[in-house]
Amino acid sequence: MSDGEMGSGLLAYTETTASEFSEVAASSFAAERMRTGIVMLHGRCPRCASAIAVPIFEAVFRQGTKRSRRRTAPAEPMYHTVVCTCDEDHPGRPAGQLGCGAYWTVELHEDGQ
């Protein structure tokens, strides 16, 4: 049995991260900028493979400060921690929570990519 698998074949909830989670997400997730300034990331969780959509709210605040300043240098990338938000059954998941427990970091550039 692999890490996090239970005898029933279901992937158990485990709060975990791995460098490959970020690599998979970077190559497969799509970013969609919403009218509100929120960036929605769409893709499959690198751990449980469930389709998820994750909002990135910080972009709203950064976007507000961006308008008041002129930039001559390229913007710094923004790093965000992303967590699996699937609603699949993962035994051992705490009540009231979503996901399989996986989390990883993504790098977003000012253009939302």
Side-chain angles (χ1 to χ4, degrees):
M1 238 180 286
S2 66
D3 179 41
E5 271 188 53
M6 306 219 32
S8 65
L10 296 175
L11 189 64
Y13 177 88
T14 304
E15 292 181 4
T16 186
T17 191
S19 60
E20 57 267 16
F21 292 175
S22 294
E23 294 166 12
V24 169
S27 67
S28 63
F29 271 60
E32 175 186 11
R33 184 173 298 280
M34 309 302 284
R35 289 183 333 162
T36 58
I38 295 170
V39 175
M40 288 295 290
L41 299 180
H42 302 274
R44 294 203 169 270
C45 171
R47 180 170 181 254
C48 73
S50 297
I52 60 174
V54 181
I56 303 295
F57 295 102
E58 188 175 342
V60 174
F61 303 109
R62 289 185 185 246
Q63 189 174 13
T65 59
K66 180 175 69 172
R67 292 182 188 147
S68 62
R69 297 187 304 215
R70 292 182 184 248
R71 293 184 186 214
T72 55
E76 293 291 320
M78 295 178 282
Y79 296 92
H80 301 276
T81 300
V82 176
V83 298
C84 177
T85 58
C86 78
D87 60 1
E88 301 296 321
D89 185 27
H90 295 289
R93 179 171 56 209
Q97 290 202 10
L98 294 173
C100 69
Y103 61 95
W104 58 95
T105 302
V106 295
E107 177 183 336
L108 294 180
H109 299 271
E110 190 172 309
D111 63 358
Q113 301 301 315

